Amino acid sequence: MNVPAAWYLVLAAVLFGIGSFGLLTRRSALIIFMCLELLLNAVNLTFVTFARTLRDIGGQAAVFFVMVVAAAEVTVGLGIVVTVFRRRSSTSVDELSEMKG
Amino acid sequence: MIGAAYAIPDILAFVVAALMIVAGAIGVLAVRNPVHAALSLILTLFGVAVAFVAQSADFLAVVQIIVYAGAIVVLFLFVIMFLGVDRTDPVRVEPLVGQRALAAVGVVVTIGGLVALLASSHWVTGAIAVSSAGHPTPVGASNVRAIGTAVFTTYLFAFEATAALLIIAVVGAVLLARRERHMDREGEA
């Protein structure tokens, strides 16, 4: 018999927690994007676990679409990072504060 | 007791995947060099691929390696090298007082809430009464066939929308990364 689904779900929750801690505390936009990938992977792991548990291939199809959207998001995000770096010579998100009221 | 209830290879696969995922994720947070963070991210992505294989999602495991480790992380590394930020340390000061402590509390609450949700609901125990056609998730070549059938029939509209999304993303990235001379002069003035 396979490992219970709850183990994988707890693992995904831990991965989500680690990723969100990095998202909240790090300053570099590049590291923040990497933490975003961690969050997406945690959700993907949950989708696959439920696809196995509920025996529904739709969970795996959802992971497929999440991967496509993640690729698009990283492409545009890194393009924005490059553009910001040209103006500011920094990838720190604290530098982008001129709209502060 | 655990060894008696579940097959040893399954437990081994889970432990290996969990170690790779957690070690890589902590590495992304802990290291100061962005290049090392990207390499730790690869470790996590391979761990997730191991978990996918262990849960009979063969096609997704391959796509995970090719798309994430092969394309996305390489894109990260390209940008890190291109910007030349691979040796600068991130700032260690805390501009917001207590940000780390608040973030830690929020994360603990999030994980605790998720685990409590798991413990209090019964679908995680493998109850397949609701959807239960009863067929196990197909593996191997039939896994590819099953996903292909789902994507090209049930989710066809979403699939076409992702095609449009990818085109828009590529055009947007090219537009963002293009350097125009007169715009640069404007920026310096």
Side-chain angles (χ1 to χ4, degrees):
Chain A
M1 185 182 169
N2 212 332
V3 170
W7 294 12
Y8 281 104
L9 295 178
V10 170
L11 176 62
V14 169
L15 180 60
F16 193 88
I18 295 173
S20 48
F21 183 77
L23 197 71
L24 291 171
T25 53
R26 293 301 292 261
R27 303 268 165 239
S28 165
L30 286 166
I31 303 288
I32 288 176
F33 270 117
M34 290 182 201
C35 291
L36 210 57
E37 297 304 313
L38 293 184
L39 297 185
L40 289 170
N41 271 280
V43 173
N44 281 352
L45 189 53
T46 312
F47 266 125
V48 168
T49 304
F50 277 119
R52 187 198 66 169
T53 307
L54 302 176
R55 300 184 177 175
D56 186 353
I57 201 71
Q60 296 190 10
V63 172
F64 182 76
F65 292 122
V66 170
M67 283 178 178
V68 174
V69 174
E73 167 250 328
V74 164
T75 309
V76 175
L78 289 180
I80 292 173
V81 168
V82 168
T83 310
V84 168
F85 188 84
R86 281 201 190 126
R87 294 283 173 119
R88 311 238 157 202
S89 298
S90 164
T91 59
S92 170
V93 292
D94 284 337
E95 300 280 323
L96 307 173
S97 60
E98 67 264 6
M99 287 183 75
K100 189 157 69 177
Chain B
M1 174 201 160
I2 290 175
Y6 310 112
I8 296 295
D10 288 336
I11 295 176
L12 207 60
F14 174 79
V15 170
V16 169
L19 284 179
M20 289 170 76
I21 289 173
V22 173
I26 291 176
V28 171
L29 298 194
V31 299
R32 312 183 61 155
N33 191 330
V35 175
H36 296 168
L39 297 180
S40 296
L41 184 63
I42 290 184
L43 182 63
T44 295
L45 299 176
F46 269 82
V48 173
V50 170
F52 282 179
V53 171
Q55 304 200 74
S56 65
D58 302 343
F59 174 72
L60 289 177
V62 174
V63 173
Q64 170 93 359
I65 300 292
I66 294 175
V67 172
Y68 264 116
I72 291 184
V73 176
V74 168
L75 193 62
F76 270 115
L77 288 173
F78 262 123
V79 170
I80 291 169
M81 305 282 182
F82 176 65
L83 298 182
V85 292
D86 53 334
R87 278 185 301 278
T88 58
D89 287 337
V91 193
R92 279 288 156 186
V93 297
E94 274 191 290
L96 301 173
V97 179
Q99 187 190 11
R100 273 169 212 282
L102 280 177
V105 169
V107 165
V108 167
V109 167
T110 304
I111 295 181
L114 285 173
V115 173
L117 192 65
L118 289 185
S120 65
S121 49
H122 56 87
W123 28 258
V124 300
T125 58
I128 52 171
V130 280
S131 75
S132 98
H135 303 295
T137 317
V139 295
S142 56
N143 178 247
V144 179
R145 187 175 299 126
I147 289 190
T149 307
V151 164
F152 284 105
T153 56
T154 316
Y155 304 101
L156 182 62
F157 180 73
F159 182 75
E160 298 292 342
T162 56
L165 177 72
L166 282 176
I167 291 292
I168 293 168
V170 167
V171 171
V174 169
L175 205 65
L176 279 173
R178 191 177 54 174
R179 182 193 290 267
E180 287 189 36
R181 295 191 181 280
H182 63 91
M183 283 184 66
D184 275 358
R185 226 176 289 132
E186 268 176 28
E188 285 164 8

